[in-house]
């Protein structure tokens, strides 16, 4: 029953947002609350939602101030030199622009933090997409495809969870996955080429895309807010922020709060200018924060009710015992829907140990199953349960439902390519 309710909850959510019957925020809150009340969880509902919001609170704070900080830096013109360099390199060629997006995302993703990757890459590339009249859905698609592959880095999250859950080191789990990641990135570059070529043909036939959202991260350029004389100071502050983030000196949300306050004072000493900056970008920050806390309620109910664990166990139980010898392939295949419908914590700490215990009886080593469980990361970030996804679509000014429909087939392609590569190279 819990499994049925879980899949029903996610199905209703997906149908509502993909058909644009509700906003993601409304659906994230109303759908799980309604299902939980129907299932008789009314008395515990308050604690479930509170715990879910508490779990996501620091992420929400971080994203609010990260948006404010990078938006301020865009207003000052910090990224203009980078944009001009990229523009000279790609010219007026959508193919070079899309490939450049894939390469830049892969490089920036080396820090292992998806949110900062989205902020930096969108800030650098969205102006180019606007100048060339390209569809911003292509931008969000390529960024997510590359980001999902790079998310397998040990400091990115999933791999660290696998190592912790199975008590294994990076040499057993991550190192064999490096060639798989490389093949995955080549796939993303190939997809970028296809999308760039299609867009080049579309522009030649139908003209430039102009239906951009005025509330994206770039917004309207205000020359009065430019601070070209302070570009080196702003660059130094941004680099210091990234160093603090990588070294994990203080919580990232606190670091962005301090950095935003310092940047406001340095660039806009007058109080009215500081208020103008906050007012200009508050809507974007609030819309992302709202969806983040909505996702907290969604996952809080899934976890607190036991629905998430039941969904994972039920999916494992449907595999016939006679297929046990193919548990490595089954694990890789099932990791695609499991990491989409479940959180990484639920999957890697709740479900993977059960799979490994089964594998032990069949003589399949834990490291093989651990590596197989990472294949699904090729489509994980598209999940509505991943907070940073809402940040990406908000920054680029696209609808979550449009992004999901546009990117899903390519993301599934990433997982399939990685699975075939892992089988051919003997990694799993």
């Amino acid at each position: 029953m819990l499994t049925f309710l879980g899949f029903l909850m996610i199905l209703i959510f997906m149908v509502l947002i993909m058909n644009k019957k509700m906003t993601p925020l409304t659906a994230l809150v109303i759908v799980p609350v309604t299902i939980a009340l129907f299932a008789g969880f009314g008395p515990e509902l308050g604690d479930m939602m509170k715990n879910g919001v508490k779990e996501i609170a620091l992420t929400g704070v971080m994203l609010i101030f990260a948006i404010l900080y990078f938006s301020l830096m865009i207003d000052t013109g910090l990224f203009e030199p980078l944009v001009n360099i990229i523009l000279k390199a790609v010219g007026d060629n959508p193919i070079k622009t899309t490939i450049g997006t894939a390469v830049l995302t892969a490089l920036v993703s080396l820090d292992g933090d998806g949110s900062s990757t989205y902020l930096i890459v969108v800030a650098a590339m969205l102006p180019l997409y606007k100048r060339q009249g390209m569809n911003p859905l292509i931008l969000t698609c390529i960024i997510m495809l590359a980001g999902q592959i790079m998310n397998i880095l040990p400091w990115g999250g999933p791999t660290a969870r696998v190592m912790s859950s199975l008590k294994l080191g990076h040499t057993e789990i991550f190192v064999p996955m490096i060639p798989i990641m490389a093949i995955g990135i080549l796939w993303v570059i190939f997809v970028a080429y296809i999308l760039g070529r299609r867009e080049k043909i579309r522009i030649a036939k139908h003209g430039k895309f102009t239906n951009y959202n005025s509330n994206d991260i770039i917004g309207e350029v205000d020359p009065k807010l430019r601070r070209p004389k302070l570009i080196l100071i702003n660059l130094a502050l941004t680099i210091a922020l990234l160093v603090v983030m990588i070294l994990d000196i203080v919580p990232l949300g606190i670091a962005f709060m301090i950095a935003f306050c310092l940047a406001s004072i340095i660039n806009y000493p007058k109080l009215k200018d500081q208020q103008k900056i906050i007012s200009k970008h508050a809507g974007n920050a609030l819309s992302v924060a709202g969806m983040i806390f909505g996702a907290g309620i969604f996952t809080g109910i899934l976890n607190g009710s036991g629905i998430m664990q039941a969904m994972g166990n039920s999916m494992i139980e449907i595999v016939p015992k006679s297929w046990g010898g193919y548990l490595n392939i089954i694990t890789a295949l099932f990791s695609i829907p499991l990491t989409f419908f479940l959180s990484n914590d639920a999957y890697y700490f709740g479900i993977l140990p059960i799979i490994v215990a089964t594998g032990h009886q069949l003589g399949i080593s834990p490291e093989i199953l651990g590596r197989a469980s990472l294949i699904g990361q090729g489509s994980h970030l598209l999940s509505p349960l991943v907070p940073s996804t809402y940040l990406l679509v908000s920054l680029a000014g696209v609808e979550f439902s449009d992004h999901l429909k546009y990117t899903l087939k390519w993301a599934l392609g990433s997982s399939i390519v990685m699975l075939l590569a892992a089988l051919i190279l003997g990694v799993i």
Side-chain angles (χ1 to χ4, degrees):
M1 184 62 178
L2 287 178
T3 301
F4 171 75
L5 290 174
F7 283 111
L8 178 64
M9 187 187 301
I10 292 174
L11 177 64
I12 293 173
F13 171 81
M14 299 289 280
V15 170
L16 287 173
I17 63 167
M18 292 183 76
N19 289 300
K20 300 185 178 179
K21 299 297 184 182
M22 283 188 182
T23 64
L25 170 59
T26 307
L28 282 166
V29 176
I30 297 299
V31 173
V33 168
T34 303
I35 296 292
L37 288 172
F38 172 78
F41 289 107
E44 302 93 9
L45 195 56
D47 286 336
M48 289 181 194
M49 293 189 291
K50 182 177 71 175
N51 292 334
V53 171
K54 284 169 65 177
E55 287 288 327
I56 213 83
L58 277 178
T59 301
V61 170
M62 184 273 290
L63 293 178
I64 290 171
F65 284 94
I67 289 171
L68 290 175
Y69 177 81
F70 279 98
S71 296
L72 182 150
M73 287 300 165
I74 290 168
D75 285 334
T76 65
L78 174 63
F79 295 100
E80 275 195 350
L82 176 61
V83 170
N84 292 332
I85 290 171
I86 297 174
L87 188 60
K88 288 180 181 178
V90 303
D92 192 21
N93 189 332
I95 297 175
K96 290 183 179 179
T97 301
T98 53
I99 293 175
T101 302
V103 173
L104 180 63
T105 303
L107 292 174
V108 177
S109 295
L110 287 170
D111 69 355
D113 183 76
S115 300
S116 61
T117 297
Y118 297 158
L119 285 156
I120 293 170
V121 178
V122 173
M125 300 305 297
L126 186 55
L128 303 185
Y129 279 70
K130 286 186 172 183
R131 290 184 197 182
Q132 296 180 16
M134 296 174 64
N135 189 339
L137 285 172
I138 297 174
L139 173 64
T140 57
C141 174
I142 295 171
I143 291 175
M144 180 150 285
L145 291 179
Q148 290 176 147
I149 304 297
M150 299 302 290
N151 200 36
I152 297 175
L153 289 167
W155 48 92
T159 303
R161 288 175 172 87
V162 173
M163 293 188 295
S164 175
S165 176
L166 303 184
K167 306 295 187 294
L168 295 171
H170 70 282
T171 52
E172 293 100 335
I173 300 297
F174 172 66
V175 174
M177 290 296 293
I178 292 175
I180 309 305
M181 290 177 65
I183 292 169
I185 290 297
L186 289 176
W187 159 256
V188 174
I189 292 173
F190 175 67
V191 172
Y193 169 79
I194 293 174
L195 296 179
R197 188 169 180 275
R198 284 184 182 177
E199 190 67 357
K200 186 176 182 179
I201 294 170
R202 187 199 62 78
I203 292 172
K205 285 185 177 180
H206 305 290
K208 294 184 175 183
F209 182 92
T210 57
N211 190 26
Y212 293 100
N213 190 332
S214 59
N215 292 324
D216 60 40
I217 190 174
I218 303 301
E220 297 298 323
V221 177
D222 187 349
K224 294 180 181 178
L225 296 177
R226 288 286 187 260
R227 296 293 185 268
K229 294 181 180 179
L230 296 175
I231 192 167
L232 292 179
I233 295 175
N234 288 326
L235 179 61
L237 181 61
T238 303
I239 292 173
L241 176 62
L242 294 175
V243 170
V244 168
M245 177 184 67
I246 293 169
L247 299 179
D248 198 21
I249 297 173
V250 296
L252 194 52
I254 306 301
F256 271 114
M257 289 176 72
I258 295 171
F260 173 70
C261 293
L262 288 174
S264 298
I265 296 170
I266 292 169
N267 289 279
Y268 307 107
K270 294 181 180 179
L271 182 59
K272 64 176 184 179
D273 290 334
Q274 294 176 21
Q275 292 172 334
K276 183 178 180 180
I277 287 291
I278 293 175
S279 298
K280 181 181 178 184
H281 302 295
N284 199 2
L286 182 61
S287 66
V288 174
M291 288 188 285
I292 297 303
F293 291 119
I297 288 178
F298 198 103
T299 55
I301 292 174
L302 280 176
N303 284 320
S305 62
I307 289 175
M308 188 171 283
Q309 187 72 28
M311 288 168 64
N313 291 337
S314 296
M315 291 189 73
I316 292 173
E317 288 172 2
I318 67 174
V319 179
K321 291 184 179 180
S322 59
W323 293 9
Y326 302 99
L327 187 61
N328 54 336
I329 299 175
I330 293 169
T331 300
L333 286 172
F334 269 60
S335 71
I336 300 172
L338 283 171
T339 56
F340 187 87
F341 292 121
L342 308 180
S343 68
N344 274 336
D345 286 335
Y347 177 59
Y348 290 114
F349 292 123
I351 305 302
L352 183 59
I354 299 173
I355 297 173
V356 170
T358 305
H360 179 71
Q361 299 176 2
L362 298 169
I364 302 175
S365 64
E367 57 265 28
I368 286 178
L369 296 175
R371 294 194 291 266
S373 72
L374 291 170
I375 298 297
Q377 289 301 313
S379 52
H380 168 68
L381 293 180
L382 263 180
S383 169
L385 303 180
V386 178
S388 61
T389 302
Y390 300 110
L391 172 66
L392 174 62
V393 296
S394 296
L395 293 173
V398 302
E399 293 289 337
F400 176 81
S401 55
D402 294 334
H403 168 66
L404 179 62
K405 286 187 283 188
Y406 189 91
T407 308
L408 183 58
K409 62 182 179 183
W410 301 111
L412 291 174
S414 295
S415 290
I416 292 170
V417 167
M418 291 169 64
L419 172 60
L420 293 175
L423 289 172
I424 292 170
L425 296 178
V427 172
I428 63 170

